[in-house]
Amino acid sequence: MEPIAIIGLGCLFPGADGPSAFWQNLVDGVDSTSMATAAEIGADPAIFFDPAHRLADGYAYGRGGFVRGFHLDPVGLHLSADQLRGLDPLYAWAMHVARQALGDSGYMGRADLLDRCGVVLGNLSFPTRSSQRLLAPLYAGAVAEALDEMIGGASDPTPPLPLWERGLGGEGAVNPLNASISGRPAALVAQALGLGGPYLALDAACASSLYALGLACDYLAAGKADLMLAGAVSCADPLFVLTGFSIFQAYPPEGGVSRPLDRSSRGLTAGEGAGVFALKRYADALRDGDRIYGLVRGVGLSNDGAGKHLLVPNPKGQQLAFERAYADAGVTPQSIAYVECHATGTPVGDIVELNSMERFFGAYGHAPKIGSVKSNFGHLLTAAGMAGMLKVLLSMAHGQIPPTRTLSDPLVSQGGTIGGSGSVQTLTPWPDMPGPRRAGVSAFGFGGTNAHVVLEQNPTPLPPPLPGEEESDLPSPSGRGAGGEGGPLAITGMDACFGPYPDLAALDRGLYAGERSIGPLPASRWCGLPDRAAPDGAYLHGFRFDFLHAKIPPDPTDQPLPQQLLLLQVADRALRDAGVRPGAHIAVLVAMESEPAMHQLRGRQDLGWHLPIMLARAGITLSDAERAELEILLKDALHPRAQVNQYVSFIGNIMACRVAALWDLSGPAFTVSADENSAFRALELAQIMLARGELEAVVVAAVDLAGSIERTVLDAIDGQSGRAVGEGAGALVLRRAADARRDGERIYATVDAVA
């Protein structure tokens, strides 16, 4: 690929509001983790903290990297005071770091360039503090009705305020912008900074930062933008995150400590934060005299495909990411002095990563030094890669590599070449090697989502290849190739399930006959919750799903969300319709918004401290045993105790990875969120990715089960009530039209342009 210049930096990490403070903390070996407090949990942490795993709704490990004391400065943002008031930290953090990076680039307020500036933002599809608060009255109202039946009186359905909002003079502002979790942060960044280019959010789990960087580079290489902001934000509700990793048993056991890349580590520490880079094409940055922090030389994206559980890393996918990154960069792995590892501290994940590196770099007789920034403030999930890349850029600039601070007995790869003495334990001079300083950064996410980036210190001008970097010595070109628009796209497979139409044939008949599919909410759809405000819509009345074919255990207590099952079904049928062979180099892009029904789990958890307050308000006195029994009954009625497979479904990118796993597809798999434009953004990305020439095809799919009671409530808050609801999923298989014609494939239609 043409090198992409990094010309602006912005970050907000635990203990560091900006790159300078971040670097100093790394050099000093500062531990920026701490125990979760009421400020994060919203209630007394003692209610939920459960190291012995005795509670159904608790978390086993309370340490994390938390951002505290942040207040958004509105200066320079194109948003009104009303729009900013009560805005969740998710959006505030994203705008802050994006403004920081844009200002650092020198292009803040440059309308001529900002019209051609876009943003790609990695973001979790998890509930936030504010989205949970918006839906809390719904669940409290259901509990109040149950209490009414007990006492024959009027119970107060107002939920108790979380501790972070008490003492603020009433209930505080309810900002309707908080109702949209997945795509809106990117939209608000674009609006707040006056950007006229493409904007989208994506979920590639813990690889999101590197995926966002790669896609932003693609937009620049394709000429669809002249300046891009790329980054990620991790600001989900802390209790939801702590609960999830406890369910996955990813935390250290009671009394244990997370030590990335150390033999003694038995789990990770989770964290939160945000980071953004400003990017330009290297030639443009040189022409314009921009300050260049470093170059993105190559990006390798892959998926594990079939073979292992969605939560277990697979060396095959990691090695593919390495191969594609160095083929894309056009540099040899021997020129890499240091690799910032994904290394979170989990015993399985860390050793798999080191063994994958040994197999890849060992083939070139090379062993770079390694480290992990997660030793300072934990695993920042979607934003983890931003911290790793920023650490590398600053290390190259200062000529020093900060220590991985918790190392005492460094882990070593199976063959003894990666790790061990090569793990950076003290502040270390950058290795003296020929040519510009180069490093790799890895990020691996749940679902087998892999990414590796090759970064280089800014050379001026760009030097010729090092001796031995002839084309024949580079990794095989299985990664991203040169840019170009690549011509029309052919739709070679498709499927859909919309409203009452279970497949394409039924949809075709209904459209031809002019049938009206809009009707009332199906009976019992809202599981006993009041349905008086249910809008009419094209509701899904259920669908049949083959768990055996999908290789998902049909356990009624541990099932994925219906949204994920429906998407998997239509994507599978579209791939079969296209005659795709399993194991192909195909990408899966799913347009989606987070499923708000996941808030039911948070509603269940909050009953643990809501219920005593509500009983007191209603004048009901129960014994401890009676109250405990009532609490369990109400909790189970609202949401069953979360199990592993169900919680996995809360992770947005997993629905794309399920498709990749079922078909053993090795291309990137992730979700795209841009509100009503999500499917078109996914189509645009497919066009860009196929134009590079390596992917065989791209699956573009979309899903929305918009008829949940939670979505109805959030739409009303967001000022979007009154519209007819549509539910369903669709999928297209896209190939380069020239390739499809060459292979004699059936073509439904061609996509000639996307803008």
Side-chain angles (χ1 to χ4, degrees), residues 542-560:
F543 59 95
R544 299 181 65 84
F545 186 82
D546 189 340
F547 282 88
L548 183 63
H549 172 73
K551 303 175 183 177
I552 298 174
D555 182 351
T557 67
D558 189 16
Q559 289 184 6

Side-chain angles (χ1 to χ4, degrees), residues 686-713:
Q687 177 200 42
I688 294 172
M689 295 166 77
L690 284 168
R692 287 190 160 276
E694 288 79 25
L695 285 169
E696 298 176 43
V698 175
V699 178
V700 170
V703 63
D704 201 336
L705 300 187
S708 70
I709 187 171
E710 289 87 0
R711 179 62 64 80
T712 301
V713 169

Side-chain angles (χ1 to χ4, degrees), residues 52 64 89 93 109 236 278 280 300 346 358 445 466 577 597-598 606 627 652 660 672 695 720 734:
W93 294 1
K280 282 178 75 174
T346 60
E358 182 175 73
L466 295 174
D577 184 49
M598 72 177 73
D606 278 343
R627 189 198 60 77
V672 176
L695 285 169
Q720 301 185 49
L734 300 162

Side-chain angles (χ1 to χ4, degrees), residues 301-323 342 346 348-357 359-360 443-451 657 660-661 664-666:
L301 309 178
S302 74
N303 193 272
D304 286 351
K308 293 200 175 184
H309 189 273
L310 290 167
L311 301 182
V312 179
N314 191 329
K316 176 186 72 172
Q318 295 182 7
Q319 288 180 253
L320 275 175
F322 296 147
E323 292 170 7
H342 180 66
T346 60
V348 173
D350 286 10
I351 191 60
V352 167
E353 180 174 5
L354 297 194
N355 288 340
S356 297
M357 289 180 62
R359 278 188 285 272
F360 176 74
F444 310 125
F446 283 159
T449 305
N450 308 300
C657 293
D664 194 24
L665 307 178
S666 66

Side-chain angles (χ1 to χ4, degrees), residues 190-269:
Q191 181 181 354
L193 299 179
L195 311 183
Y199 62 85
L200 62 97
L202 64 88
D203 187 339
C206 304
S208 294
S209 293
L210 273 59
Y211 269 63
L213 180 78
L215 296 182
C217 291
D218 286 345
Y219 271 109
L220 290 168
K224 290 180 176 286
D226 295 326
L227 177 67
M228 287 294 296
L229 300 179
V233 58
S234 179
C235 187
D237 172 56
L239 179 56
F240 198 86
V241 172
L242 290 168
T243 301
F245 281 116
S246 294
I247 291 172
F248 295 151
Q249 297 185 7
Y251 285 135
E254 186 173 0
V257 179
S258 177
R259 299 176 181 272
L261 297 176
D262 195 275
R263 293 179 191 270
S264 67
S265 188
R266 291 295 178 269
L268 60 80
T269 297

